[in-house]
Amino acid sequence: DYGQDNPEERKALDDAERFFYGCLQANDERLERRLELVLQDQLAWYACARGWLAGRCALVKDPRTGETYADITPWDPRMTSWGLGSRGLLWICHHTRRTLGQVVDEFGPAPQARSPTAGGGSWESAGVVSGTGGEPELEVYDWWDGNLNTVVVGAEYAKPPTPHGSPRTPGFVVASG
């Protein structure tokens, strides 16, 4: 009905639509700053090339600035694992490789004694694998479930299990075609 008979309802719906378009525009600008394609282009490519879409969709608070923003990040379905339950997505995990510099930039220096294997001290001891560009790379696992988010780099917690505040797993997996 789109508020045809109620101008106040129509204005509220128009404002909500503008807000969501603004979130999508801000998300595209964030992706472009990271030298990635905009959301629609990435999703179109994964749908054709992989036959699946996967990613994270959450409100995120930047710990450095305190800014809250909509984060809709497509993930390569080849590098994504997930579990399904009777009511949908139970958990989702994105696996990537990042250089030591990228890990330090995003997560800071290696934590002391926060390792799932009780080691700790340096990212290099977390499990460096050889990189393709001559720079060492580390395995990074970004894991989400219905309550928690954690990031593991090699064998170290880059982000210990932390409540994410969403009422469900903030990810998506969709078959295309």
Side-chain angles (χ1 to χ4, degrees):
D1 182 25
Y2 195 65
Q4 297 294 338
D5 298 332
N6 186 339
E8 289 177 20
E9 181 184 4
R10 184 175 180 105
K11 182 182 178 335
L13 292 170
D14 288 344
D15 289 345
E17 183 178 10
R18 279 190 287 278
F19 171 76
F20 291 120
Y21 275 118
C23 287
L24 290 171
Q25 178 64 37
N27 190 72
D28 283 346
E29 290 169 4
R30 182 185 59 80
L31 290 171
E32 288 177 323
R33 279 193 306 273
R34 294 173 22 180
L35 301 180
E36 295 182 29
L37 295 174
V38 296
L39 178 65
Q40 187 173 7
D41 291 348
Q42 285 193 58
L43 292 177
W45 190 88
Y46 286 132
C48 291
R50 305 283 192 240
W52 287 87
L53 302 173
R56 174 186 61 233
C57 186
L59 287 176
V60 176
K61 184 173 185 177
D62 186 325
R64 297 175 195 167
T65 65
E67 172 191 17
T68 300
Y69 58 93
D71 179 4
I72 309 166
T73 302
W75 291 339
D76 186 342
R78 285 185 322 140
M79 307 304 287
T80 306
S81 303
W82 62 88
L84 296 175
S86 62
R87 301 195 312 156
L89 196 61
L90 291 174
W91 60 269
I92 190 166
C93 181
H94 185 232
H95 167 244
T96 57
R97 285 185 174 183
R98 298 191 194 159
T99 66
L100 183 60
Q102 289 170 321
V103 169
V104 170
D105 178 61
E106 186 166 352
F107 303 109
Q112 299 291 325
R114 284 197 318 196
S115 168
T117 58
S122 75
W123 288 125
E124 291 88 346
S125 68
V128 171
V129 294
S130 61
T132 56
E135 196 171 351
E137 292 182 336
L138 297 119
E139 303 279 347
V140 178
Y141 298 87
D142 186 4
W143 189 84
W144 300 75
D145 72 4
N147 299 309
L148 301 172
N149 167 236
T150 190
V151 178
V152 175
V153 175
E156 300 284 338
Y157 283 125
K159 178 181 180 183
T162 307
H164 54 64
S166 177
R168 64 189 60 84
T169 304
F172 60 91
V173 177
V174 181
S176 63

